[in-house]
């Protein structure tokens, strides 16, 4: 067995890292008007370069910017799309015992990807400052639909939801090309929705809002495949399935069985980051739908929700369990989610975060070879 030379890698990561105190303080001062946007950017730039060096130093084959310039993992990007309005809502997203800041999105015009989207410049800075593979993370197009549903999509602009899905897929196709043209060869769609489709509770809430859920898997499959239709062969695009990650809490539960056949077999990603750090994700049986070939499943066996370091032997046993349903050469290892899907971050220390990342690198060598 060998390490991989293209993404996803045997030792990989979802994307976000805990924000350093210096960055948190700068963002707070910017919100109060005590420093300029340029001064905040200077702090972000400096802290991102430090983060890149840490990733390189522990032996990662990739680096992200930790999502240090974002407030949320998804709203910052979606709010930058043409036709989507980012606004202050009456309440935040409700997690188990916690609630986020009160941001939300609504579709108010024809959706498109603008050539000056700020995330393109974020990627260019990352690429210019790392010697390993720069990885960019953006929310999946499904996220622009499921959480709020039809009620937040203008019926005047989109009387037919099929046109909405089509425009969203085409906008993401433009995004994929724009990131590729900027030098990106490793792009990830972060996606809570496929996990929500495994939760009867989330599906019931969607139906209560008046949305139809019976054909969503097929709608989302077609929309994502449209986004990936012209992806160049030397670009890897993966997805991360998440059940919610805010201050170490979660939203949904349910194994992958309801979506695995479509998601793994019919959606044209190069790899899938799947949460497997708790019973809420179910067993490995759905991995039987992973097609033979080079598609990878990145097993999220290391939790980002607590600082307790996993036993290497326990992780190896779990990997061995997974191989009952798929070949070892089609598996990789990562945390189950980012360490800070929002700027607040999960409840663990930076030292604990890096201990987990070092363990992932060490385990990748012990399981797949150095």
């Amino acid at each position: 067995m060998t390490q991989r030379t293209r993404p996803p890698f045997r030792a990989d990561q979802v994307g976000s890292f805990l924000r350093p105190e210096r960055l948190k303080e700068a963002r707070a001062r910017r919100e109060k008007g005590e420093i300029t946007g340029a001064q905040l950017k200077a702090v972000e730039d400096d802290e991102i370069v430090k983060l890149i060096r840490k990733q390189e130093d522990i032996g990662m084959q990739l680096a992200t910017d930790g999502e240090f310039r974002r407030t949320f993992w998804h709203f910052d990007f979606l709010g930058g799309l043409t036709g989507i309005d980012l606004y202050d809502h009456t309440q935040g997203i409700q997690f188990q015992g916690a609630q986020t800041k009160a941001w939300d999105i609504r579709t108010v015009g024809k959706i498109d990807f603008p050539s000056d989207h700020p995330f393109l410049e974020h990627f260019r800075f990352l690429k210019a400052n790392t010697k390993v593979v720069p990885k960019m993370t953006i929310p999946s197009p499904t996220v622009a639909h499921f959480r709020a549903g039809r009620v937040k999509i203008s019926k005047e602009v989109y009387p037919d939801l099929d046109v909405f899905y089509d425009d969203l897929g085409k906008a993401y196709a433009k995004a994929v090309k724009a990131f590729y043209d900027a030098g990106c060869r490793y792009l990830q769609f972060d996606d809570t929705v496929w996990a929500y489709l495994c939760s009867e509770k989330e599906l019931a809430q969607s139906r209560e809002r008046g949305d139809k859920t019976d054909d969503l898997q097929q709608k989302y499959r077609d929309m994502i495949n449209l986004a990936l239709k012209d992806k160049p062969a030397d670009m890897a695009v993966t997805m991360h399935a998440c059940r919610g990650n805010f201050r170490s809490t979660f939203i949904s539960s349910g194994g992958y069985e309801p979506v695995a056949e479509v998601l793994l077999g019919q959606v044209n990603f190069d790899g899938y980051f799947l949460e497997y750090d708790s019973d809420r994700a179910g067993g490995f049986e759905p991995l039987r739908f992973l097609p033979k070939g080079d598609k990878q499943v990145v097993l999220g066996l290391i939790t980002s929700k607590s600082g307790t370091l996993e036993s290497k032997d326990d992780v190896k046993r779990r990997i061995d369990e997974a191989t009952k349903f798929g070949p070892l050469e089609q598996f990789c290892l990562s945390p189950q989610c980012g360490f800070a899907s929002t700027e607040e971050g999960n409840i663990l220390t930076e030292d604990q975060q890096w201990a987990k990342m070092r363990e992932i690198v060490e385990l990748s060598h012990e399981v797949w070879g150095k």
Side-chain angles (χ1 to χ4, degrees):
M1 204 67 62
T2 60
Q3 295 291 320
R4 287 175 55 79
T5 57
R6 62 166 287 159
F9 298 106
R10 299 296 185 203
D12 216 303
Q13 58 182 315
V14 172
S16 64
F17 285 97
L18 295 172
R19 307 321 194 243
E21 284 304 315
R22 178 176 174 235
L23 179 56
K24 288 183 177 181
E25 290 170 3
R27 290 182 68 90
R29 292 187 65 196
R30 175 59 186 151
E31 286 184 10
K32 296 175 184 176
E34 296 175 356
I35 62 173
T36 65
Q39 288 173 309
L40 172 59
K41 183 180 181 301
V43 174
E44 291 172 343
D45 289 352
D46 187 48
E47 293 299 329
I48 288 170
V49 170
K50 292 178 186 176
L51 175 71
I52 291 169
R53 297 293 168 265
K54 287 181 180 178
Q55 294 170 83
E56 294 171 344
D57 289 346
I58 65 170
M60 300 297 293
Q61 293 175 265
L62 71 147
T64 74
D65 65 1
E67 302 178 6
F68 277 8
R69 303 187 198 274
R70 309 183 201 181
T71 299
F72 284 87
W73 63 275
H74 55 335
F75 286 142
D76 302 71
F77 178 86
L78 293 172
L81 295 179
T82 303
I84 292 184
D85 177 36
L86 177 63
Y87 69 102
D88 287 331
H89 195 30
T90 53
Q91 68 178 49
I93 300 169
Q94 187 62 52
F95 283 71
Q96 300 293 321
Q99 193 175 104
T100 67
K101 289 182 177 178
W103 283 20
D104 205 350
I105 56 168
R106 55 195 169 199
T107 300
V108 296
K110 295 285 284 184
I111 293 175
D112 201 357
F113 181 81
S115 60
D116 61 348
H117 195 292
F119 275 42
L120 292 170
E121 188 55 41
H122 297 176
F123 173 78
R124 293 187 186 102
F125 181 87
L126 170 65
K127 184 177 185 297
N129 285 282
T130 186
K131 59 187 179 184
V132 295
V133 176
K135 175 181 181 178
M136 190 66 190
T137 62
I138 61 175
S140 173
T142 61
V143 180
H145 172 258
F146 186 85
R147 172 52 61 184
R150 167 86 260 189
V151 69
K152 294 291 180 67
I153 300 169
S154 168
K155 291 184 178 180
E156 288 71 31
V157 178
Y158 289 111
D160 182 348
L161 270 183
D162 284 341
V163 179
F164 167 81
Y165 294 133
D166 191 60
D167 280 359
L168 196 51
K170 289 175 180 175
Y172 266 75
K174 290 179 69 172
V176 169
K177 184 179 186 305
F179 281 112
Y180 184 86
D181 291 345
C184 181
R185 298 298 180 267
Y186 191 4
L187 182 65
Q188 180 172 291
F189 288 7
D190 290 323
D191 198 315
T192 53
V193 177
W194 286 96
Y196 292 164
L197 297 181
C198 300
S199 167
E200 186 49 46
K201 177 183 176 183
E202 292 299 317
L203 289 171
Q205 289 179 349
S206 179
R207 289 190 290 266
E208 287 170 8
R209 291 193 298 266
D211 293 311
K212 297 178 181 179
T213 61
D214 292 345
D215 61 350
L216 280 181
Q217 290 190 43
Q218 291 71 32
K219 298 288 188 185
Y220 291 158
R221 174 199 62 197
D222 294 346
M223 178 171 64
I224 293 170
N225 285 345
L226 176 60
L228 301 179
K229 183 170 68 73
D230 297 320
K231 177 186 75 69
D234 63 337
M235 183 186 201
V237 180
T238 60
M239 67 90 71
H240 168 240
C242 180
R243 289 165 179 76
N245 187 50
F246 171 68
R247 300 293 289 158
S248 295
T249 62
F250 65 93
I251 290 179
S252 68
S253 298
Y256 298 102
E257 191 68 28
V259 302
E261 187 170 8
V262 172
L263 179 60
L264 299 180
Q266 301 175 24
V267 185
N268 297 328
F269 287 118
D270 297 291
Y272 305 85
F273 285 72
L274 301 183
E275 286 188 326
Y276 270 117
D277 67 324
S278 75
D279 293 342
R280 292 186 300 104
F284 295 119
E285 291 82 359
L287 298 181
R288 70 189 185 278
F289 291 110
L290 179 66
K292 298 292 187 281
D294 196 47
K295 271 195 176 191
Q296 301 287 304
V297 164
V298 187
L299 300 169
L301 297 171
I302 307 295
T303 190
S304 69
K305 292 185 184 294
S306 82
T308 303
L309 190 63
E310 286 78 0
S311 156
K312 282 188 175 182
D313 286 341
D314 288 345
V315 176
K316 288 177 182 178
R317 276 193 291 271
R318 294 276 281 153
I319 294 172
D320 188 56
E321 289 173 20
T323 61
K324 295 184 176 91
F325 304 98
L328 182 61
E329 61 266 23
Q330 285 185 255
F331 293 145
C332 303
L333 182 65
S334 77
Q336 112 285 345
C337 196
F339 291 95
S341 298
T342 68
E343 61 184 342
E344 290 84 0
N346 283 346
I347 303 173
L348 73 164
T349 67
E350 288 190 54
D351 285 345
Q352 290 171 325
Q353 166 185 266
W354 290 111
K356 286 175 178 278
M357 292 308 305
R358 282 192 294 270
E359 182 171 79
I360 288 169
V361 174
E362 292 167 2
L363 278 164
S364 78
H365 294 161
E366 293 170 19
V367 173
W368 290 280
K370 198 163 184 178

